[in-house]
Each structure stands twice: as structure tokens, then as C-alpha cells.
Amino acid sequence: MAEKSTAFRTFCHDAFGQDFSQDGFSDIAQIDMILPYIPAKEDVHILDIGCGNGKMLGYLQKKTGAFIHGFDYSRKAIANARALFTDRADFQEGIIGEMEYPNETFDVVVSMDTMYFAKDMSAFVAQIKRWLKPQGILFAGYQEGELVPRTRDEHTTELAKALKKNQMKYDVRNITKQTYELLKTKREAAMMHKADFENEKHGKWFDLLMMQTMWSEQSYQQFKGAMARYIYTAGK
């Protein structure tokens, strides 16, 4: 889809504000939240956990000039990332919890909806803490209600527990309302491009988008009762 579908590329742009080949929860406003945490200096290194084809990292690099690193379990995604970004970039095929980097390598580690896949989240947070430079920051988008159960609040999530266990200080923003509004935008964009998907014989992808955005047909009160989304920033 990312390589061959014009409908998908235009859908991503209209739904998220930028085409990063997204199939998730993050729009350009959420990605831009990362920028203030990237130091304005030379020799800055950013790691994206579950980087896919690297387009989000490419955007951050264009904005900051950083050296970009990413890993993903998908061999195809990593091959695409290596083809797209060849300057000051390192992409590796790897699995959360098994991938390793030298201590104090990264200024920023980004995880947009990937922490859930750690078999042991506390152990993985400990890894990230080792990878961060002394003033480094973990920036994580984290959603509850689908892949993981909804907990009471932002301080009772599995990620919050893992950060506390590893003595990482964190700030957290509740962006559940913005996420609900993004679902509406995503659904509207999908419907706008329905004929384009069907003309490409990608009608099943349109159906998937409709399924992914069903919550936008419910009230916000119903949505936030079942779902929550947070942005965590944590340091050593």
C-alpha cells in the first residue's frame, strides 16, 4: 500500500497531515511534539522503536539534522527504510526486548504505539534507560482500550508502572480528546477516498479503515469510558 497506492498516500496526508504510511493513532501534531526534545546541537541521535519504513524519522531528520536510527520486526519495512534514507541513518531488523544498542547512545528514543509489544515492559524500559544519554528523553505515545486494557488513569498504566519501577521521572499529557477528534478526521478522509481505494481494488483496506474508526460514531463520553491515549516523556 505504501509503495503502490496513490489512494493510501493521499488518505494519509488528509487524515494525519503528512504521509508517513501510518496505520495508527498519530497525526502530525503528535509527531511535532517530539521536536522540542531534540537538542539543537551537532551529533544528535534519535531512535524510533518500530520504525516501519522510516518516514517519521525522515521527517524528524529533515527538521533537525539528527542521525536517525530505527528497528522493526518487518524485513520489508527495514528494506524500504534503507532505500528511502541513506544519509546519517541506521536501520536494523529486530524485535523489542531482543534488540540491543550501546549504553548512552541516544538523545531521544521514540515509541509511538509500540511499547505494548514488549514481553516484559519493565525490562524493556530498563534497556531504553541504558540506551539514553544522561539528559536523554523517552517520548512514547501510548493508548489503552484496544491492545491493552483501560486502567484508571495515566499513572496506573503498565508503562507508568514500568517507568516508576526503573526510577525514571516522567511527565504525561492526556490526549484522549484529540485522539477522538483524529478518529473522526480519519473516518472522513477514508470516506472521501472510498472510490479511489475501490478503483485500485483496495476496497478491503477501506473496510478496515471503517472498522478502525467505528468509535467516532459514538459520543466522546462513551469513547473516553473505554479508551485513553497519553503522551509520556521520561528521563533518567
Side-chain angles (χ1 to χ4, degrees):
M1 293 292 290
E3 292 180 70
K4 299 178 181 179
S5 173
T6 300
F8 183 62
R9 288 194 295 271
T10 54
F11 160 75
C12 286
H13 190 276
D14 292 340
F16 303 107
Q18 192 86 14
D19 170 26
F20 296 149
S21 305
Q22 300 99 313
D23 180 31
F25 314 108
S26 300
D27 64 2
I28 192 63
Q30 291 181 33
I31 303 308
D32 280 344
M33 289 181 188
I34 303 169
L35 293 172
Y37 298 98
I38 301 174
K41 61 179 185 179
E42 294 183 1
D43 197 32
V44 171
H45 291 257
I46 305 170
L47 171 67
D48 183 14
I49 297 165
C51 64
N53 62 17
K55 287 185 179 180
M56 183 187 76
L57 278 172
Y59 173 81
L60 296 175
Q61 184 183 61
K62 185 176 180 180
K63 290 286 186 179
T64 67
F67 193 114
I68 53 175
H69 306 253
F71 73 89
D72 198 285
Y73 76 95
S74 169
R75 181 171 299 174
K76 178 66 172 174
I78 291 301
N80 288 341
R82 288 171 175 167
L84 286 169
F85 305 102
T86 58
D87 183 41
R88 293 172 56 77
D90 173 64
F91 293 97
Q92 302 287 334
E93 184 182 345
I95 297 172
I96 287 175
E98 298 179 11
M99 194 67 189
E100 191 56 90
Y101 292 96
N103 292 351
E104 299 188 1
T105 297
F106 303 112
D107 298 274
V108 181
V109 173
V110 179
S111 167
M112 299 306 288
D113 300 289
T114 53
M115 297 297 293
Y116 327 107
F117 301 111
K119 292 179 181 178
D120 183 334
M121 193 174 296
S122 181
F124 186 49
V125 168
Q127 272 189 298
I128 293 170
K129 185 177 180 180
R130 285 193 286 102
W131 297 344
L132 286 170
K133 294 179 182 179
Q135 303 302 315
I137 291 292
L138 166 64
F139 185 102
Y142 189 86
Q143 186 149 316
E144 292 189 322
E146 290 184 335
L147 293 175
V148 294
R150 176 83 155 85
T151 62
R152 187 181 71 247
D153 59 31
E154 59 267 41
H155 301 295
T156 57
T157 67
E158 289 303 311
L159 178 55
K161 291 177 184 177
L163 292 170
K164 292 171 188 174
K165 186 174 180 180
N166 284 280
Q167 299 182 314
M168 291 186 73
K169 298 177 181 178
Y170 71 86
D171 292 315
V172 59
R173 282 170 278 186
N174 187 327
I175 58 167
T176 305
K177 178 65 172 176
Q178 295 96 311
T179 301
Y180 177 72
E181 296 300 331
L182 177 58
L183 279 177
K184 287 183 171 291
T185 301
K186 186 175 176 180
R187 193 172 185 87
E188 290 168 2
M191 294 176 69
M192 183 169 60
H193 293 291
K194 179 181 180 181
D196 299 326
F197 281 113
E198 291 175 344
N199 289 338
E200 292 182 348
K201 306 211 181 318
H202 288 142
K204 289 184 178 179
W205 188 263
F206 171 80
D207 294 340
L208 176 62
L209 292 172
M210 289 293 97
M211 184 183 70
Q212 289 177 344
T213 57
M214 286 178 63
W215 270 112
S216 67
E217 299 294 289
Q218 306 299 315
S219 70
Y220 175 61
Q221 291 302 316
Q222 290 172 308
F223 176 76
K224 76 173 185 177
M227 310 285 287
R229 183 164 178 79
Y230 309 112
I231 296 290
Y232 289 87
T233 53
K236 292 187 173 182

